[in-house]
Amino acid sequence: MKTSDTPRTYKVKSFGCQMNVYDGERMGELLEAKGIKPAAEGEDADLVVLNTCHIREKATEKVYSDIGRIVKAGNKAGRDPMIAVAGCVAQAEGEEIMKRAPAVGIVVGPQAYHRLGDMVTKAVAGERGTDTDMPEDAKFAALPRRRKVAPSAFLTVQEGCDKFCTYCVVPYTRGAEISRPYTDLVEEAKRLVDAGAREITLLGQNVNAWRGEDTAGHSVGLEGLVKELANLPDLERIRYTTSHPNDMTDELIAAHGEIDKLMPYLHLPVQSGSDRVLKAMNRSHTAQSYLRLLDRFREVRPDIALSGDFIVGFPGETEAEFAETLHIVDAVRYAAAFSFKYSPRPGTPAANMDDQIAPEVMDERLQRLQTALGRHQHAFNQASLGKTCDVLIERKGRKPGQWLGKSPWLQSVFFDSELKIGDMVRAELVQAGPSSLQGRVLDSVPA
Ligand code: 5AD
Ligand code: SF4
């Protein structure tokens, strides 16, 4: 690859989790600080960053086909875009990508992307570079300040994972658990609010394992950070994701009953309802201990909406064990959920386990699970009918004149009235569908 001109425009394509969305935004800010502008909608960018996900399926193959497509489009237009591969596939594949895809100029891992600007400079000079270090240095401190943000913004507070669930690549691609310092986070949250955020979602692979030291020097958990952020007058909503059942503390549970700005929603993955499977997954909780934990949330916040992640077809999963997953779904009555077919990840213990489940069995189980989850989501939406709540408007809907926002329970709510992004409207929920609701504006608080 030889690109003699500094790119004028960039595009970051983020796949996978919300942390990738956050990282993608930060990479964009970093490129803008270098004078590279975001490409307009539909315009081919001079620099394309593929911010990849490695958690499931044929992630690597997808990256190569995306690269192929970018090169082809470039050839057709007589241009030669610079391609950077970032995210977890970059971390896992590193040099392999450089070998297989000569069009790629930059490979940068999730812990090293603060160096992307320098890598672009080098790539302009024809020097390809791979950086998949996991340095102890402060990536976040090296990033430029946040400027304009959406009304619902992400803030990464914790990264990495020490849990080593036997199916999961995250401990390898994102590294060991680290918590960002309290004061840095409060500062970043203030800047997000100044830049227009009315809701902040605190992100971490195990966000509830976050610990820090408050300004008085006391060691605090996530509830301490949430309490401090709740003092920001213009911040109206706080959420956090993703949590692990074993890191849940009494203090964080109690916070759900004490802090109004902490939204009544909890994403707490269970993965399976079978204790045998949970043990083989190294989850170190049981179906019962998980249910008891949720009971405690419901005690302090009876209207809390619960969400989870599920894997079907983990190696050795029997029909009876899968039925236990369906049982836990009925016991919890999830408001929302994410469910996946087990996907062997190279280098993880489960990938070498006997008894891998046939794809057609997985398909069939996933379908049954999703039917059950859909039924509960619809029932949850129906139970919301007639309620009055605040909805934060996030974007236009697909139909002309339609607007879309989120309820406190993270439901999508559509409106037909004229609104704008960032409005917090008082609304009545007047119609419920399987995955969204229709709202009627009662009055609107100016943004
Ligand atoms: N196969 C299928 N699903 C997986 N997840 C993580 N690793 C795998 C895998 N190898 C799911 C888990 C996790 C979510 C982010 O992705 O449910 O909670
Ligand atoms: Fe992966 Fe388990 Fe860590 Fe979640 S807790 S990131 S599933 S290893």
Side-chain angles (χ1 to χ4, degrees), residues 8-12 36-47:
R8 272 181 320 104
T9 59
Y10 77 89
K11 182 168 279 174
V12 179
I36 308 173
K37 297 200 165 46
E41 196 67 35
E43 185 200 353
D44 288 326
D46 299 338
L47 164 62

Side-chain angles (χ1 to χ4, degrees), residues 55 160-171 177 205-206 242-244 269 271 281-283 309 311:
I55 200 128
C161 181
D162 298 339
K163 293 286 185 292
F164 290 94
C165 299
T166 53
Y167 51 81
C168 186
V169 283
V170 167
E177 283 178 10
Q205 265 89 30
N206 274 323
T242 292
S243 299
H244 190 287
Q271 314 297 356
M281 287 177 163
N282 192 30
R283 288 290 296 177
D309 287 346
I311 297 176

Side-chain angles (χ1 to χ4, degrees), residues 16 43 47 60 63 69 73 80 82 94 120 133 204 221 237 243 255 271 278 327 329 333 344 356 370 377 409 422 439:
E43 185 200 353
L47 164 62
T60 318
V63 173
R69 213 169 306 129
D80 183 15
M82 184 185 287
V120 170
D133 283 357
R237 292 175 160 190
S243 299
Q271 314 297 356
L278 287 170
H327 281 141
V329 165
R333 293 172 280 117
Q356 300 282 327
Q370 292 187 336
Q377 183 174 14
W409 307 278

